Amino acid sequence: MMRSKTAAAPFALWMTLFTVIPLGIVLWFAFTDEQGQFTLSNLSSIGEYAGTFGLSIFLGAIATVICLVLAFPLAFTISRAKGRKQQTMVMIIMLPMWMNFLLRTYAWMSLLENNGFINQFLRVIGVLADGQSVSLINTNGAIVLGMVYNFLPFMVLPLYSVMVKIDNSVIEAAQDLGSNVFQVFGRVVLPLSLPGMLSGITMVFVPAVSTFVITKLLGGSKTLMIGDAIETMFIGQGANYHVGATLSLVLMVLILVCMAITGMVDKEGEGDAA
Amino acid sequence: MQTTKEIIKLKDITVSSDGEQVLSGLDLNISDGEFVTLLGPSGCGKTTTLRIIGGFVTPDSGSVFFDGKDMAKLPPYKRPVNTIFQRYALFPHLNVQDNVAFGMRVQGKKKTEIRETVDRMLKLVNLVGFNERRIDTLSGGQQQRVAIARALANNPRVLLLDEPLAALDLKLRKDMQAELKNIQKSLGITFIYVTHDQEEALSMSDTVVVMDAGRIQQIGTPQDIYNEPKNAFVADFIGESNILDGIMHEDYLVEFFGRKFPCLDTGFDKDEPVDVVIRPEDIDIVPANQGHLTGTVTAVTFKGVHFETIVDFKGFKWMIQTTDYYPVDSIIGIVLNPEDIHIMKKSEYSDMFGDYSSYSDEFDELGNPEVDLTEDTAAEVEE
Ligand SMILES: Nc1ncnc2c1ncn2[C@@H]1O[C@H](COP(=O)(O)OP(=O)(O)OP(=O)(O)O)[C@@H](O)[C@H]1O
Ligand SMILES: [Mg+2]
């Protein structure tokens, strides 16, 4: 016991310095006014951001679902591949992550712009007339695309890491007992992948909901997500740390609630299969 | 055995992996209700043969027939066979009863029927009260029995069993052997059973298929295999054998150790070189001056029922099993009756087996736990 306590000391210090204290500061800002007096007015002013919160969670959820649908078969295919092939595939999935996040998003910008690569291409092949363009950028679709593109690896990797532990013989046993492809998936692969799915959902949903870079670059000035709202409260002219802190706090609570719901659904799924 | 209706037929099956031949030209016919055992050393292709029947391996060439129909296009889940996998392959996310119920749930059986069958199966494999246990809290032997219950619960026409008793202790293994044999008889299921335990193979099967290096060496009843081994490999693998070079002068007359012996075998060319098999338990020891051959005892091991006596005949060592004790260095004679001598054609296995010159207790697999540990069955117990 003593030893494990000593070993945990640096971690406790780290947590205190960089998690507990900052959280305390956020709390303090959220519940005080400019004079440092206790107040609930910040909280009550949050109401006007309800739409922003709603849109953020909506777009984040869509991106998460798309990631899940794309990542599941991908991760499963990788997990069944042999030796070197498997390593190569994992590398290819991780490769974009080694490139700067901003750079990747800028790249999408130049693809989606009205005079971007895609529109130019459509004009060249004659689908669009000269001067015409499909509006790709500055749409909610572009934001979701950016989220999916940037966060897909965070779904693939945790899924892959649990799937790779599923023994082939277990899948064969399910087939042997009469399961077709869908039954193998529903009764064996899915329940055995649940832990990876849960962490994948967390790792995609949380950054997607709170992103502001993607909204800014691909969503234009029209769309405001909660990440952008928080950013404006800390940077620039209208900055208001108290409202910003409150927004952050509410976002945190909302994400926790979403995660709790996901967790409950997962548990139920497990109980169902058992 | 009584029914001669053929249920499974393997025809000229060849499988290779990474350029290595795993099975070559395998032909096997299995009758409905038969208990067939595939017997052979580790890596000889037993599991691969089962996987071909189960549909998990596609042979490079050759065909599998079920009830006379080619199964090539039939995926595993549509085949009327169930498998007890060598590594159990239980579902880790399900408890014992849900593992056993898996196949019935997939088929959409009624809840009451499922519950009733699960309880019956758990009783059968001696796991009453284990319904709710998690798989990872079971011992290796218990997991193996869950795997047996899970496959049987599906009521298959053919059951493929890949060393299903390997992880059990001797007493439980004997009980389960009897139990499996019972189940097979009473339900009339065809069993294709894999083991590398020759005693298990001989005592349970209607037909034994001895395999080595991806080829079938001999197919026959347990008695045939034991009494009439086709080549030195089979003779050595099934029981203990002294195997000597001989010359078959004519029908019923063989020469070895410079002496002619009458025997019961026919159908060889004149003066054809042959392998001569003499089982250790068939040899009668007599006083030195009365024997066909005389030799010197070099080692004696007490085995409970008999003494395993190693005797040197002109530099070639034989094993003789006898109930009488002859101390080391005593000179003895032996008498060989025609029915004690079995003649085999020369094969690629000639001169590889049947000499006990290097014999010591270390080679006695049953008596030595270290040898057992090198078998993958022992490794599985730890899993
Ligand atoms: N998936 C595979 N890939 C490559 N080689 C394989 C594969 N499966 C089996 N083999 C090879 O095929 C040969 C036969 O294997 P198999 O598993 O059929 O042996 P076995 O008779 O069941 O042995 P054991 O008694 O050890 O279980 C072995 O040499 C093995 O290395
Ligand atoms: Mg095997």
Side-chain angles (χ1 to χ4, degrees):
Chain A
M1 283 306 279
M2 280 307 289
R3 273 191 64 184
S4 68
K5 256 186 193 160
T6 336
F11 177 69
L13 185 70
W14 176 273
M15 286 290 285
T16 313
L17 276 179
F18 297 111
T19 306
V20 179
I21 293 176
L23 208 60
I25 296 173
V26 171
L27 271 169
W28 185 79
F29 270 110
F31 290 102
T32 54
D33 57 19
E34 256 100 295
Q35 282 74 44
Q37 300 292 314
F38 176 81
T39 176
L40 287 175
S41 63
N42 296 328
L43 209 55
S44 55
S45 73
I46 291 301
E48 60 189 277
Y49 291 95
T52 317
F53 272 112
L55 183 70
S56 303
I57 290 176
F58 178 66
L59 293 183
I62 289 184
T64 308
V65 170
I66 294 175
C67 280
L68 190 60
V69 170
L70 291 178
F72 210 95
L74 188 59
F76 189 69
T77 312
I78 298 174
S79 77
R80 297 301 107 178
K82 291 205 174 110
R84 285 190 68 88
K85 210 165 147 196
Q86 190 176 88
Q87 285 170 13
T88 316
M89 287 164 98
V90 173
M91 279 275 284
I92 291 171
I93 296 293
M94 295 203 338
L95 211 60
M97 287 165 64
W98 299 340
M99 244 163 283
N100 184 283
F101 177 82
L102 272 174
L103 201 67
R104 275 179 283 157
T105 312
Y106 270 116
W108 271 111
M109 224 168 125
S110 64
L111 282 174
L112 299 175
E113 271 167 355
N114 287 348
N115 273 320
F117 181 83
I118 294 175
N119 272 313
Q120 281 186 23
F121 177 75
L122 289 177
R123 272 176 228 139
V124 168
I125 63 166
V127 176
L128 293 177
D130 271 357
Q132 235 184 353
S133 60
V134 221
S135 48
L136 299 168
I137 200 139
N138 301 344
T139 60
N140 286 348
I143 296 177
V144 171
L145 177 74
M147 290 174 175
V148 170
Y149 180 77
N150 278 309
F151 303 133
L152 188 62
F154 297 107
M155 186 66 90
V156 175
L157 293 177
L159 272 176
Y160 160 77
S161 70
V162 292
M163 282 172 170
V164 81
K165 293 198 200 90
I166 301 178
D167 198 340
N168 247 341
S169 69
V170 172
I171 291 169
E172 286 183 356
Q175 289 176 295
D176 187 77
L177 291 163
S179 316
N180 59 30
V181 182
F182 303 106
Q183 287 162 326
V184 170
F185 174 80
R187 288 176 180 271
V188 178
V189 179
L190 193 66
L192 286 176
S193 312
L194 273 181
M197 229 164 94
L198 187 59
S199 54
I201 288 173
T202 314
M203 285 167 74
V204 172
F205 184 68
V206 173
V209 165
S210 50
T211 183
F212 58 93
V213 175
I214 296 174
T215 355
K216 229 187 208 142
L217 297 185
L218 301 178
S221 51
K222 277 192 303 192
T223 323
L224 194 67
M225 277 185 49
I226 200 63
D228 310 286
I230 294 172
E231 194 205 5
T232 55
M233 287 301 142
F234 286 97
I235 294 162
Q237 295 181 330
N240 181 338
Y241 280 24
H242 302 275
V243 176
T246 315
L247 282 173
S248 305
L249 211 59
V250 172
L251 178 63
M252 207 168 88
V253 171
L254 282 177
I255 287 174
L256 282 177
V257 169
C258 289
M259 288 345 294
I261 293 170
T262 323
M264 256 149 59
V265 172
D266 261 9
K267 281 271 153 49
E268 250 166 52
E270 224 166 316
D272 212 33
Chain B
M1 270 297 269
Q2 283 79 9
T3 53
T4 46
K5 191 177 154 290
E6 187 178 84
I7 187 162
I8 285 179
K9 182 188 182 72
L10 301 184
K11 201 165 153 248
D12 201 18
I13 300 276
T14 301
V15 177
S16 56
S17 98
D18 305 331
E20 223 177 296
Q21 202 80 350
V22 176
L23 292 176
S24 350
L26 194 95
D27 282 306
L28 186 60
N29 301 331
I30 295 165
S31 305
D32 201 1
E34 194 178 0
F35 194 126
V36 178
T37 299
L38 308 182
L39 177 65
S42 189
C44 73
K46 306 181 296 287
T47 299
T48 307
T49 308
L50 286 195
R51 287 170 63 76
I52 284 170
I53 299 171
F56 298 110
V57 171
T58 312
D60 299 345
S61 68
S63 347
V64 182
F65 297 95
F66 195 93
D67 278 337
K69 284 192 283 290
D70 195 331
M71 288 216 280
K73 295 250 151 44
L74 218 55
Y77 76 95
K78 283 190 179 159
R79 299 193 180 197
V81 301
N82 282 123
T83 310
I84 296 169
F85 291 86
Q86 189 164 10
R87 284 169 220 285
Y88 328 137
L90 297 175
F91 303 117
H93 59 298
L94 302 179
N95 63 19
V96 169
Q97 64 181 4
D98 291 322
N99 263 279
V100 177
F102 191 93
M104 293 185 283
R105 295 231 167 95
V106 167
Q107 287 163 19
K109 291 260 164 66
K110 282 206 204 69
K111 273 215 166 84
T112 48
E113 187 191 340
I114 292 176
R115 195 171 321 125
E116 189 262 322
T117 312
V118 166
D119 286 342
R120 194 158 43 84
M121 288 302 147
L122 289 184
K123 201 164 159 206
L124 195 67
V125 296
N126 238 323
L127 286 176
V128 174
F130 280 71
N131 299 50
E132 310 275 340
R133 284 279 288 273
R134 287 176 50 93
I135 295 304
D136 55 16
T137 68
L138 300 180
S139 75
Q142 287 164 342
Q143 292 186 22
Q144 206 158 38
R145 284 180 282 155
V146 174
I148 293 172
R150 183 179 67 175
L152 279 174
N154 246 23
N155 200 14
R157 280 186 65 199
V158 177
L159 192 59
L160 312 177
L161 306 96
D162 200 347
E163 307 198 20
L165 306 181
L168 307 185
D169 63 67
L170 191 64
K171 167 142 175 33
L172 197 53
R173 187 155 71 220
K174 293 276 178 223
D175 290 349
M176 287 299 297
Q177 280 176 4
E179 202 53 67
L180 283 177
K181 184 75 196 164
N182 254 339
I183 292 165
Q184 188 260 337
K185 274 220 175 104
S186 61
L187 301 182
I189 307 175
T190 307
F191 269 35
I192 307 179
Y193 194 100
V194 164
T195 182
H196 52 232
D197 177 348
Q198 45 133 333
E199 198 185 312
E200 189 168 285
L202 295 179
S203 63
M204 294 176 82
S205 333
D206 298 319
T207 305
V208 177
V209 179
V210 184
M211 297 175 66
D212 184 49
R215 288 175 195 281
I216 292 180
Q217 302 297 331
Q218 188 169 2
I219 304 179
T221 64
Q223 286 90 341
D224 282 350
I225 299 276
Y226 190 85
N227 294 329
E228 306 285 330
K230 263 207 184 123
N231 61 32
F233 175 80
V234 179
D236 181 75
F237 197 75
I238 313 288
E240 299 287 352
S241 305
N242 302 295
I243 304 174
L244 329 155
D245 286 330
I247 307 270
M248 197 70 181
H249 285 299
E250 56 193 68
D251 284 354
Y252 308 115
L253 189 66
V254 65
E255 177 186 335
F256 52 89
F257 277 151
R259 197 187 157 117
K260 289 180 180 147
F261 289 88
C263 63
L264 303 177
D265 298 78
T266 58
F268 293 87
D269 294 340
K270 187 170 168 46
D271 293 334
E272 180 177 337
V274 290
D275 285 335
V276 180
V277 182
I278 296 162
R279 295 287 188 187
E281 69 272 21
D282 290 338
I283 301 169
D284 298 326
I285 296 185
V286 295
N289 54 354
Q290 293 167 26
H292 295 146
L293 299 169
T294 51
T296 313
V297 175
T298 60
V300 185
T301 316
F302 180 57
K303 290 287 175 181
V305 183
H306 59 259
F307 291 96
E308 216 159 69
T309 309
I310 304 298
V311 183
D312 188 332
F313 295 100
K314 304 178 184 172
F316 193 95
K317 289 186 179 160
W318 292 29
M319 178 192 280
I320 300 176
Q321 289 168 357
T322 157
T323 48
D324 299 322
Y325 175 69
Y326 297 92
V328 172
D329 289 337
S330 52
I331 297 181
I332 56 156
I334 58 164
V335 170
L336 295 172
N337 300 313
E339 65 271 17
D340 302 334
I341 297 169
H342 173 65
I343 312 294
M344 304 180 304
K345 286 217 179 275
K346 283 274 176 196
S347 69
E348 78 231 61
Y349 294 105
S350 300
D351 304 324
M352 286 168 63
F353 301 108
D355 176 9
Y356 288 90
S357 295
S358 54
Y359 178 85
S360 79
D361 264 353
E362 277 170 311
F363 292 102
D364 191 347
E365 287 202 20
L366 286 177
N368 190 345
E370 258 177 58
V371 175
D372 263 342
L373 274 180
T374 62
E375 307 282 353
D376 53 11
T377 54
E380 279 161 34
V381 180
E382 294 162 13
E383 279 180 13

